[in-house]
């Protein structure tokens, strides 16, 4: 029925959203749609939204407009986190025909009848308490790496976060299904898998969020380590209280799991960590970093941090700044706090003025640049493996070492999606690292 019909996708937000967009796109293709780029004219435009960025609604309106410019008769669908949190708001945007919540988005094709535009957007969104089943997903961002979803939802009640409201309770894919998806990815010739989820260290809660821990995160890691054809596995973001010594030790001895961890901190002040209802204090974070560096001295450690949380005085901000300055980490992801409806933090006293938030954010971003530079400098002279990406960027091809140092060399299409042993030689003017090939043969 959908022969010759074209569908295009736009994804806002995190890696998890990208993996889910890919899965939704495969459903469309199975129904006979042809997938085209968002810049092209299509019959259906699907926008996968995010609730974390401050101006989610403005971004959504702009993207809808740009879709309708290409085809003013196109059928426009909003899905994702913002669609779950504020479905009526999205449905009221001019030109939107359908809004689907957290569980409905995976059956999007069953909500489309004849692609006739609606006068007002139709909403299908369950109560988030009902989002208890698990839908597996993986995306292939480019030919070199894939994002594999292993877990969804979150049981934590951090006071600044809407994710539990947008994605529901914590639930995991079965180990069997994760392994099946990993093998499918491997068969496509992709060399690296990045594990993704909302709270992946919580992996093991049953498909319906029940507490049957048939498998733990460590079981998952050990099983994935055996997938043939995948050269690299990357853990992505994991909570400090869920990153156990056994996992760190296993990664340090693994041939496929890479020495790169991204661990949210959010604040270096215990007082603010308590107000945020994080599940650890600073000491736990310090221990995690020390443990990683003890068994993997060259590991790359990335940190999420929030500035401008209610009650963050100059003293408490400096506590975070000084803590991070002294900590042996490699880079920061800095988030400027923004108020979210239906969160505890939005009602808290001690609101930090926007200009102060911006100034603190700038300071931490500056610190991140210094940290990354120092980490890169510490790697000069080391012999590492690089997986090359697929884009030609101003005459250069880029790649990443296993410990996430970004390198560049003059463009050579034969290097795409290949692994090579190299010795890092110097940092270029743009901050990327140059190298010498140790061998010209691809490493297996």
């Amino acid at each position: 029925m959908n022969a010759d019909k074209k569908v295009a996708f736009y994804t806002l937000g995190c890696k998890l959203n990208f993996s889910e967009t890919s899965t939704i796109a495969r459903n469309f293709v199975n129904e006979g749609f042809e997938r085209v780029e968002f810049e092209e004219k299509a019959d259906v435009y699907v926008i996968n939204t995010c609730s974390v960025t401050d101006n989610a609604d403005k971004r959504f309106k702009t993207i809808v407009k740009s879709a309708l410019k290409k085809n003013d008769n196109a059928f426009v669908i909003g899905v994702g986190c913002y669609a779950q949190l504020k479905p009526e708001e999205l449905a009221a945007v001019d030109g939107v025909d359908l809004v689907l919540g957290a569980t409905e988005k995976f059956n999007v094709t069953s909500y489309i009848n004849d692609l006739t535009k609606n006068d007002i957007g139709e909403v299908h969104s369950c109560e988030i308490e009902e989002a208890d089943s698990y839908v597996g997903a993986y995306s292939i961002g480019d030919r070199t790496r894939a994002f594999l979803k292993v877990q969804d939802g979150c049981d934590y009640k951090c006071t600044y976060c809407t994710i539990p409201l947008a994605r529901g309770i914590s639930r995991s894919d079965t180990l069997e299904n994760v392994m099946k998806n990993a093998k499918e990815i491997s068969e496509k010739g992709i060399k690296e898998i990045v594990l993704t989820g909302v709270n992946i260290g919580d992996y093991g809660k049953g498909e319906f969020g029940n507490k049957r821990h048939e498998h733990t995160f460590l079981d998952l890691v050990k099983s994935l380590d055996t997938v043939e054809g995948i050269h690299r596995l990357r853990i992505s973001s994991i909570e400090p209280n869920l990153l156990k010594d056994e996992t760190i030790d296993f990664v340090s001895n693994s041939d496929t799991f890479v020495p790169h961890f991204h661990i949210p901190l959010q604040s270096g002040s215990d007082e603010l960590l308590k107000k945020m209802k994080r599940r650890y204090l600073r000491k736990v974070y310090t221990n995690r970093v020390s443990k990683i560096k003890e068994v993997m001295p060259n590991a790359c450690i990335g940190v999420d941090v929030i500035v401008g949380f209610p009650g963050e005085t100059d003293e408490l901000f400096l506590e975070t700044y000084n803590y991070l300055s002294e900590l042996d980490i490699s880079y920061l992801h800095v988030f400027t706090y923004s108020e979210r409806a239906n969160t505890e933090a939005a009602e808290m006293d001690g609101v930090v003025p926007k200009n102060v938030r911006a100034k603190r954010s700038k300071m931490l971003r500056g610190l991140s640049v210094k940290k990354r530079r120092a980490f890169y400098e510490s790697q000069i002279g080391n012999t590492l493996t690089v997986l090359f990406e697929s884009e030609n960027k101003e005459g250069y091809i880029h790649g990443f070492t296993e410990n996430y140092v970004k390198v560049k060399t003059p463009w050579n299409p034969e290097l795409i999606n290949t692994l090579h042993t190299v010795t890092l030689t110097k940092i270029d003017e743009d901050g990327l690292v140059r190298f010498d090939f140790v061998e010209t043969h691809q490493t297996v």
Side-chain angles (χ1 to χ4, degrees), residues 73-77 91 93-99 111-124:
N73 213 18
F75 196 82
V76 178
I77 305 172
V93 172
D94 270 358
V96 173
D97 299 292
L98 183 62
V99 175
Y111 290 97
I112 298 173
N113 297 325
D114 57 359
L115 298 187
T116 307
K117 284 194 77 59
N118 294 324
D119 295 337
I120 177 107
E122 200 179 303
V123 173
H124 294 277

PDB file of all heavy atoms in Angstrom, residues 73-77 91 93-99 111-124:
ATOM      1  N   ASN A  73       2.060  19.280   2.186  1.00  0.00           N
ATOM      2  CA  ASN A  73       1.009  18.286   2.390  1.00  0.00           C
ATOM      3  C   ASN A  73       1.523  17.065   3.140  1.00  0.00           C
ATOM      4  O   ASN A  73       0.831  16.056   3.250  1.00  0.00           O
ATOM      5  CB  ASN A  73       0.483  17.865   1.011  1.00  0.00           C
ATOM      6  CG  ASN A  73      -0.990  17.552   1.097  1.00  0.00           C
ATOM      7  OD1 ASN A  73      -1.658  17.954   2.042  1.00  0.00           O
ATOM      8  ND2 ASN A  73      -1.482  16.787   0.136  1.00  0.00           N
ATOM      9  N   ALA A  74       2.744  17.160   3.642  1.00  0.00           N
ATOM     10  CA  ALA A  74       3.358  15.995   4.300  1.00  0.00           C
ATOM     11  C   ALA A  74       2.640  15.685   5.612  1.00  0.00           C
ATOM     12  O   ALA A  74       2.098  16.569   6.276  1.00  0.00           O
ATOM     13  CB  ALA A  74       4.827  16.265   4.560  1.00  0.00           C
ATOM     14  N   PHE A  75       2.677  14.416   5.987  1.00  0.00           N
ATOM     15  CA  PHE A  75       2.107  13.934   7.249  1.00  0.00           C
ATOM     16  C   PHE A  75       3.215  14.011   8.291  1.00  0.00           C
ATOM     17  O   PHE A  75       4.256  13.383   8.151  1.00  0.00           O
ATOM     18  CB  PHE A  75       1.638  12.485   7.064  1.00  0.00           C
ATOM     19  CG  PHE A  75       0.703  11.999   8.131  1.00  0.00           C
ATOM     20  CD1 PHE A  75      -0.653  12.286   8.072  1.00  0.00           C
ATOM     21  CD2 PHE A  75       1.180  11.237   9.198  1.00  0.00           C
ATOM     22  CE1 PHE A  75      -1.528  11.822   9.061  1.00  0.00           C
ATOM     23  CE2 PHE A  75       0.318  10.777  10.183  1.00  0.00           C
ATOM     24  CZ  PHE A  75      -1.047  11.059  10.115  1.00  0.00           C
ATOM     25  N   VAL A  76       3.012  14.836   9.343  1.00  0.00           N
ATOM     26  CA  VAL A  76       4.089  15.092  10.316  1.00  0.00           C
ATOM     27  C   VAL A  76       3.773  14.422  11.645  1.00  0.00           C
ATOM     28  O   VAL A  76       2.693  14.596  12.212  1.00  0.00           O
ATOM     29  CB  VAL A  76       4.278  16.618  10.514  1.00  0.00           C
ATOM     30  CG1 VAL A  76       5.347  16.896  11.559  1.00  0.00           C
ATOM     31  CG2 VAL A  76       4.638  17.288   9.184  1.00  0.00           C
ATOM     32  N   ILE A  77       4.761  13.649  12.147  1.00  0.00           N
ATOM     33  CA  ILE A  77       4.572  12.874  13.375  1.00  0.00           C
ATOM     34  C   ILE A  77       5.621  13.276  14.409  1.00  0.00           C
ATOM     35  O   ILE A  77       6.810  13.354  14.102  1.00  0.00           O
ATOM     36  CB  ILE A  77       4.722  11.356  13.079  1.00  0.00           C
ATOM     37  CG1 ILE A  77       3.765  10.930  11.962  1.00  0.00           C
ATOM     38  CG2 ILE A  77       4.484  10.529  14.338  1.00  0.00           C
ATOM     39  CD1 ILE A  77       3.988   9.505  11.467  1.00  0.00           C
ATOM     40  N   ALA A  91       0.959  18.515  19.710  1.00  0.00           N
ATOM     41  CA  ALA A  91      -0.173  18.319  18.791  1.00  0.00           C
ATOM     42  C   ALA A  91      -0.750  19.654  18.330  1.00  0.00           C
ATOM     43  O   ALA A  91      -1.324  19.751  17.243  1.00  0.00           O
ATOM     44  CB  ALA A  91      -1.258  17.488  19.472  1.00  0.00           C
ATOM     45  N   VAL A  93       0.915  22.283  17.557  1.00  0.00           N
ATOM     46  CA  VAL A  93       1.798  22.974  16.605  1.00  0.00           C
ATOM     47  C   VAL A  93       1.222  22.836  15.200  1.00  0.00           C
ATOM     48  O   VAL A  93       0.828  21.743  14.780  1.00  0.00           O
ATOM     49  CB  VAL A  93       3.240  22.379  16.661  1.00  0.00           C
ATOM     50  CG1 VAL A  93       4.113  22.951  15.552  1.00  0.00           C
ATOM     51  CG2 VAL A  93       3.861  22.652  18.027  1.00  0.00           C
ATOM     52  N   ASP A  94       1.182  23.955  14.490  1.00  0.00           N
ATOM     53  CA  ASP A  94       0.625  23.949  13.132  1.00  0.00           C
ATOM     54  C   ASP A  94       1.265  22.885  12.258  1.00  0.00           C
ATOM     55  O   ASP A  94       2.494  22.840  12.147  1.00  0.00           O
ATOM     56  CB  ASP A  94       0.899  25.317  12.466  1.00  0.00           C
ATOM     57  CG  ASP A  94      -0.259  26.259  12.747  1.00  0.00           C
ATOM     58  OD1 ASP A  94      -1.220  25.804  13.388  1.00  0.00           O
ATOM     59  OD2 ASP A  94      -0.184  27.428  12.336  1.00  0.00           O
ATOM     60  N   GLY A  95       0.442  22.074  11.619  1.00  0.00           N
ATOM     61  CA  GLY A  95       0.975  21.120  10.648  1.00  0.00           C
ATOM     62  C   GLY A  95       1.286  19.749  11.216  1.00  0.00           C
ATOM     63  O   GLY A  95       1.612  18.818  10.484  1.00  0.00           O
ATOM     64  N   VAL A  96       1.180  19.586  12.558  1.00  0.00           N
ATOM     65  CA  VAL A  96       1.463  18.271  13.160  1.00  0.00           C
ATOM     66  C   VAL A  96       0.199  17.416  13.107  1.00  0.00           C
ATOM     67  O   VAL A  96      -0.886  17.851  13.479  1.00  0.00           O
ATOM     68  CB  VAL A  96       1.945  18.437  14.623  1.00  0.00           C
ATOM     69  CG1 VAL A  96       2.062  17.081  15.307  1.00  0.00           C
ATOM     70  CG2 VAL A  96       3.282  19.162  14.641  1.00  0.00           C
ATOM     71  N   ASP A  97       0.347  16.172  12.638  1.00  0.00           N
ATOM     72  CA  ASP A  97      -0.819  15.306  12.440  1.00  0.00           C
ATOM     73  C   ASP A  97      -0.963  14.226  13.499  1.00  0.00           C
ATOM     74  O   ASP A  97      -2.053  13.753  13.769  1.00  0.00           O
ATOM     75  CB  ASP A  97      -0.705  14.629  11.067  1.00  0.00           C
ATOM     76  CG  ASP A  97      -0.691  15.663   9.957  1.00  0.00           C
ATOM     77  OD1 ASP A  97      -1.731  16.298   9.754  1.00  0.00           O
ATOM     78  OD2 ASP A  97       0.376  15.868   9.332  1.00  0.00           O
ATOM     79  N   LEU A  98       0.148  13.821  14.091  1.00  0.00           N
ATOM     80  CA  LEU A  98       0.096  12.674  14.992  1.00  0.00           C
ATOM     81  C   LEU A  98       1.201  12.820  16.033  1.00  0.00           C
ATOM     82  O   LEU A  98       2.332  13.165  15.709  1.00  0.00           O
ATOM     83  CB  LEU A  98       0.317  11.394  14.169  1.00  0.00           C
ATOM     84  CG  LEU A  98       0.249  10.028  14.843  1.00  0.00           C
ATOM     85  CD1 LEU A  98      -1.141   9.774  15.425  1.00  0.00           C
ATOM     86  CD2 LEU A  98       0.584   8.927  13.828  1.00  0.00           C
ATOM     87  N   VAL A  99       0.864  12.555  17.306  1.00  0.00           N
ATOM     88  CA  VAL A  99       1.858  12.576  18.376  1.00  0.00           C
ATOM     89  C   VAL A  99       1.757  11.247  19.121  1.00  0.00           C
ATOM     90  O   VAL A  99       0.676  10.857  19.559  1.00  0.00           O
ATOM     91  CB  VAL A  99       1.601  13.754  19.358  1.00  0.00           C
ATOM     92  CG1 VAL A  99       2.572  13.699  20.531  1.00  0.00           C
ATOM     93  CG2 VAL A  99       1.731  15.087  18.623  1.00  0.00           C
ATOM     94  N   TYR A 111      -0.563   3.386  13.377  1.00  0.00           N
ATOM     95  CA  TYR A 111      -1.424   4.555  13.634  1.00  0.00           C
ATOM     96  C   TYR A 111      -1.654   5.380  12.376  1.00  0.00           C
ATOM     97  O   TYR A 111      -2.351   6.375  12.398  1.00  0.00           O
ATOM     98  CB  TYR A 111      -0.799   5.459  14.705  1.00  0.00           C
ATOM     99  CG  TYR A 111      -0.825   4.842  16.081  1.00  0.00           C
ATOM    100  CD1 TYR A 111       0.295   4.181  16.579  1.00  0.00           C
ATOM    101  CD2 TYR A 111      -1.970   4.912  16.874  1.00  0.00           C
ATOM    102  CE1 TYR A 111       0.273   3.608  17.848  1.00  0.00           C
ATOM    103  CE2 TYR A 111      -1.992   4.341  18.132  1.00  0.00           C
ATOM    104  CZ  TYR A 111      -0.867   3.691  18.615  1.00  0.00           C
ATOM    105  OH  TYR A 111      -0.898   3.136  19.862  1.00  0.00           O
ATOM    106  N   ILE A 112      -1.020   4.971  11.280  1.00  0.00           N
ATOM    107  CA  ILE A 112      -1.147   5.760  10.057  1.00  0.00           C
ATOM    108  C   ILE A 112      -2.170   5.084   9.158  1.00  0.00           C
ATOM    109  O   ILE A 112      -2.000   3.923   8.806  1.00  0.00           O
ATOM    110  CB  ILE A 112       0.203   5.819   9.309  1.00  0.00           C
ATOM    111  CG1 ILE A 112       1.242   6.502  10.195  1.00  0.00           C
ATOM    112  CG2 ILE A 112       0.075   6.557   7.992  1.00  0.00           C
ATOM    113  CD1 ILE A 112       2.630   6.464   9.623  1.00  0.00           C
ATOM    114  N   ASN A 113      -3.210   5.810   8.810  1.00  0.00           N
ATOM    115  CA  ASN A 113      -4.199   5.197   7.934  1.00  0.00           C
ATOM    116  C   ASN A 113      -3.966   5.614   6.493  1.00  0.00           C
ATOM    117  O   ASN A 113      -3.389   4.889   5.708  1.00  0.00           O
ATOM    118  CB  ASN A 113      -5.622   5.535   8.396  1.00  0.00           C
ATOM    119  CG  ASN A 113      -5.871   4.971   9.783  1.00  0.00           C
ATOM    120  OD1 ASN A 113      -5.366   3.892  10.088  1.00  0.00           O
ATOM    121  ND2 ASN A 113      -6.584   5.684  10.617  1.00  0.00           N
ATOM    122  N   ASP A 114      -4.384   6.834   6.168  1.00  0.00           N
ATOM    123  CA  ASP A 114      -4.329   7.206   4.754  1.00  0.00           C
ATOM    124  C   ASP A 114      -3.463   8.440   4.501  1.00  0.00           C
ATOM    125  O   ASP A 114      -3.497   9.012   3.429  1.00  0.00           O
ATOM    126  CB  ASP A 114      -5.757   7.453   4.238  1.00  0.00           C
ATOM    127  CG  ASP A 114      -6.449   8.519   5.064  1.00  0.00           C
ATOM    128  OD1 ASP A 114      -5.816   9.028   6.014  1.00  0.00           O
ATOM    129  OD2 ASP A 114      -7.605   8.850   4.760  1.00  0.00           O
ATOM    130  N   LEU A 115      -2.706   8.865   5.511  1.00  0.00           N
ATOM    131  CA  LEU A 115      -1.804  10.027   5.384  1.00  0.00           C
ATOM    132  C   LEU A 115      -2.537  11.322   5.059  1.00  0.00           C
ATOM    133  O   LEU A 115      -1.939  12.280   4.575  1.00  0.00           O
ATOM    134  CB  LEU A 115      -0.713   9.771   4.324  1.00  0.00           C
ATOM    135  CG  LEU A 115       0.236   8.605   4.591  1.00  0.00           C
ATOM    136  CD1 LEU A 115       1.357   8.584   3.553  1.00  0.00           C
ATOM    137  CD2 LEU A 115       0.856   8.680   5.981  1.00  0.00           C
ATOM    138  N   THR A 116      -3.860  11.351   5.311  1.00  0.00           N
ATOM    139  CA  THR A 116      -4.584  12.615   5.128  1.00  0.00           C
ATOM    140  C   THR A 116      -4.270  13.495   6.317  1.00  0.00           C
ATOM    141  O   THR A 116      -4.341  13.038   7.461  1.00  0.00           O
ATOM    142  CB  THR A 116      -6.113  12.362   5.085  1.00  0.00           C
ATOM    143  OG1 THR A 116      -6.355  11.376   4.096  1.00  0.00           O
ATOM    144  CG2 THR A 116      -6.874  13.632   4.765  1.00  0.00           C
ATOM    145  N   LYS A 117      -3.955  14.750   6.044  1.00  0.00           N
ATOM    146  CA  LYS A 117      -3.572  15.643   7.144  1.00  0.00           C
ATOM    147  C   LYS A 117      -4.749  15.889   8.083  1.00  0.00           C
ATOM    148  O   LYS A 117      -5.892  15.997   7.660  1.00  0.00           O
ATOM    149  CB  LYS A 117      -3.042  16.975   6.588  1.00  0.00           C
ATOM    150  CG  LYS A 117      -1.637  16.832   6.032  1.00  0.00           C
ATOM    151  CD  LYS A 117      -0.939  18.151   5.780  1.00  0.00           C
ATOM    152  CE  LYS A 117      -0.419  18.825   7.028  1.00  0.00           C
ATOM    153  NZ  LYS A 117       0.566  18.029   7.807  1.00  0.00           N
ATOM    154  N   ASN A 118      -4.451  15.953   9.379  1.00  0.00           N
ATOM    155  CA  ASN A 118      -5.495  16.200  10.374  1.00  0.00           C
ATOM    156  C   ASN A 118      -5.600  17.693  10.669  1.00  0.00           C
ATOM    157  O   ASN A 118      -4.611  18.407  10.589  1.00  0.00           O
ATOM    158  CB  ASN A 118      -5.145  15.474  11.683  1.00  0.00           C
ATOM    159  CG  ASN A 118      -5.167  13.963  11.507  1.00  0.00           C
ATOM    160  OD1 ASN A 118      -5.989  13.435  10.776  1.00  0.00           O
ATOM    161  ND2 ASN A 118      -4.252  13.268  12.168  1.00  0.00           N
ATOM    162  N   ASP A 119      -6.822  18.128  11.017  1.00  0.00           N
ATOM    163  CA  ASP A 119      -6.994  19.538  11.378  1.00  0.00           C
ATOM    164  C   ASP A 119      -6.232  19.839  12.662  1.00  0.00           C
ATOM    165  O   ASP A 119      -5.672  20.897  12.846  1.00  0.00           O
ATOM    166  CB  ASP A 119      -8.486  19.862  11.585  1.00  0.00           C
ATOM    167  CG  ASP A 119      -9.235  19.719  10.279  1.00  0.00           C
ATOM    168  OD1 ASP A 119      -8.576  19.820   9.227  1.00  0.00           O
ATOM    169  OD2 ASP A 119     -10.453  19.472  10.306  1.00  0.00           O
ATOM    170  N   ILE A 120      -6.276  18.878  13.570  1.00  0.00           N
ATOM    171  CA  ILE A 120      -5.519  19.059  14.818  1.00  0.00           C
ATOM    172  C   ILE A 120      -4.797  17.755  15.080  1.00  0.00           C
ATOM    173  O   ILE A 120      -5.311  16.687  14.783  1.00  0.00           O
ATOM    174  CB  ILE A 120      -6.472  19.441  15.984  1.00  0.00           C
ATOM    175  CG1 ILE A 120      -5.697  19.550  17.310  1.00  0.00           C
ATOM    176  CG2 ILE A 120      -7.594  18.464  16.167  1.00  0.00           C
ATOM    177  CD1 ILE A 120      -5.514  20.953  17.775  1.00  0.00           C
ATOM    178  N   GLY A 121      -3.582  17.870  15.605  1.00  0.00           N
ATOM    179  CA  GLY A 121      -2.774  16.659  15.818  1.00  0.00           C
ATOM    180  C   GLY A 121      -3.488  15.649  16.698  1.00  0.00           C
ATOM    181  O   GLY A 121      -4.068  15.986  17.722  1.00  0.00           O
ATOM    182  N   GLU A 122      -3.439  14.402  16.301  1.00  0.00           N
ATOM    183  CA  GLU A 122      -4.066  13.314  17.050  1.00  0.00           C
ATOM    184  C   GLU A 122      -3.030  12.799  18.053  1.00  0.00           C
ATOM    185  O   GLU A 122      -1.867  12.624  17.709  1.00  0.00           O
ATOM    186  CB  GLU A 122      -4.373  12.220  16.024  1.00  0.00           C
ATOM    187  CG  GLU A 122      -5.411  11.232  16.435  1.00  0.00           C
ATOM    188  CD  GLU A 122      -5.599  10.229  15.283  1.00  0.00           C
ATOM    189  OE1 GLU A 122      -5.919  10.626  14.140  1.00  0.00           O
ATOM    190  OE2 GLU A 122      -5.380   9.049  15.556  1.00  0.00           O
ATOM    191  N   VAL A 123      -3.459  12.547  19.292  1.00  0.00           N
ATOM    192  CA  VAL A 123      -2.501  12.112  20.313  1.00  0.00           C
ATOM    193  C   VAL A 123      -2.793  10.682  20.747  1.00  0.00           C
ATOM    194  O   VAL A 123      -3.941  10.347  21.061  1.00  0.00           O
ATOM    195  CB  VAL A 123      -2.578  13.042  21.562  1.00  0.00           C
ATOM    196  CG1 VAL A 123      -1.709  12.503  22.703  1.00  0.00           C
ATOM    197  CG2 VAL A 123      -2.156  14.450  21.203  1.00  0.00           C
ATOM    198  N   HIS A 124      -1.770   9.847  20.750  1.00  0.00           N
ATOM    199  CA  HIS A 124      -1.879   8.511  21.356  1.00  0.00           C
ATOM    200  C   HIS A 124      -0.735   8.409  22.348  1.00  0.00           C
ATOM    201  O   HIS A 124       0.418   8.274  21.958  1.00  0.00           O
ATOM    202  CB  HIS A 124      -1.736   7.406  20.312  1.00  0.00           C
ATOM    203  CG  HIS A 124      -2.864   7.390  19.337  1.00  0.00           C
ATOM    204  ND1 HIS A 124      -4.063   6.770  19.586  1.00  0.00           N
ATOM    205  CD2 HIS A 124      -2.989   7.955  18.102  1.00  0.00           C
ATOM    206  CE1 HIS A 124      -4.871   6.946  18.546  1.00  0.00           C
ATOM    207  NE2 HIS A 124      -4.251   7.668  17.637  1.00  0.00           N
TER     208      HIS A 124
END
